[in-house]
Amino acid sequence: MAETSPGNGSASAPVPESTPGEPTRLLRAALHEVSTVIVGQERMVERTLIALVAKGHCLIEGVPGIAKTLAVSTLAKVTGGSFSRVQFTPDLVPSDIIGTRIYHPSTERFDVELGPVFANFVLADEINRAPAKVQSALLEVMAEGQVSLGGTTYTLPSPFIVIATQNPVESEGVYPLPEAQRDRFLMKVNVGHPQAHEEMEILRRMSSTPPTAHQVLDPVTLGELQSDAERVHVHQLIADYVVRLVMATREPEKHQMPDLRQALEVGASPRATLGLVASARALALLRGRDYVLPDDVRVLAHDVIAHRLVLTFDALADGITSEQVVDRILSTVPAPRVIWDEPPTGETASFASQR
């Protein structure tokens, strides 16, 4: 028996084209404007924008020179938000990022100097070079959206997002992010080198006067887009699908994958469930829909779940990756079946359980 949302019917058809509304038009315009500067790396830019709309934080991992910093600064310019970059080093202390109290003898009083985290876009460059104290200070900023200095709490600007980068090829002078820190990031995006045709386009654009992006959003509009994403409908069967995906990382034997028990030491936390729904809503809005489809969940599952998994030593020794585990879960846990309807007023989607 099929359950419906937001309409009812049983006619199967391909996914229809959605008519973009104003929120979708604005989000697509922002992506297009970023693409005038950034060649390729569409996935990285799209995921960063999704994390921003979903009110989450993003961890980007990739080798040097692939435009990670340029992409973040360009997105900040396009959305009209303030931008700050913190280059993390082993000698960094918490006051370098959150701020400190400075005594002025002339006035015989302490003044508060706020740190670089007080911006809409905070780029934590090479975050795995920071010592544990700095990572802990950033943890409070990401989780609470505030900073405490001298007994006073200072609220960070809204919208607020931390976009951290890390280099996977270096092992000296780095402090791997602990599981609790990784769990604070809504997404982790792995970025590779550009393709040959993209490399040629990079050469063409950057060898003369580099292009510049123009502002198409502002913080107020961005806040409205975040509210629009929160109103995107999530059907009960979609929510059940998300929960089953996450539970499969904790109890794989109950989802016909007993062999994964030897590979998984710790499964994904409830933040993965909440984050997968929030990011799927943002992706649906970007695609011009006011409801979430199973494909939205599947597309984002690697970015939201993989970095939250803790593999066993045996799995690491066998060369098993978190992405492979997520692939196995996606191929085993059945998704709701989508049934498309086409009433006179427009298309709607019905869902039928395949469990």
Side-chain angles (χ1 to χ4, degrees), residues 105-236:
S106 59
T107 59
E108 296 184 351
R109 56 177 293 181
F110 285 93
D111 289 336
V112 174
E113 295 289 340
L114 299 179
V117 295
F118 286 85
N120 297 116
F121 287 78
V122 177
L123 177 62
D125 222 348
E126 297 189 3
I127 189 175
N128 52 336
R129 287 189 175 277
K133 284 186 177 181
V134 176
Q135 292 181 3
S136 298
L138 189 62
L139 197 67
E140 179 192 1
V141 172
M142 294 169 58
E144 307 298 336
Q146 62 184 29
V147 169
S148 298
L149 290 172
T152 304
T153 299
Y154 299 89
T155 303
L156 295 168
S158 180
F160 172 73
I161 182 173
V162 172
I163 304 172
T165 68
Q166 60 181 15
N167 185 345
V169 299
E170 293 182 344
S171 58
E172 294 186 8
V174 297
Y175 304 80
L177 294 182
E179 290 78 8
Q181 181 82 353
R182 295 201 307 266
D183 195 44
R184 298 287 183 178
F185 287 97
L186 173 64
M187 295 182 182
K188 179 187 175 186
V189 184
N190 295 313
V191 186
H193 284 115
Q195 301 296 320
H197 67 281
E198 295 172 338
E199 194 92 7
M200 181 62 69
E201 180 62 19
I202 292 173
L203 179 61
R204 186 190 69 81
R205 289 190 190 182
M206 300 302 177
S207 58
S208 57
T209 303
T212 58
H214 300 90
Q215 179 180 343
V216 298
L217 297 174
D218 57 75
V220 174
T221 304
L222 195 52
E224 294 173 353
L225 292 173
Q226 291 176 335
S227 299
D228 290 333
E230 291 176 343
R231 289 191 292 268
V232 172
H233 181 71
V234 180
H235 190 272
Q236 179 62 34

Side-chain angles (χ1 to χ4, degrees), residues 5 31 42 103 199 205 246 263 288 306-307 354:
S5 171
L31 286 179
E42 292 89 355
Y103 180 73
E199 194 92 7
R205 289 190 190 182
V246 175
H307 67 283
Q354 290 185 343

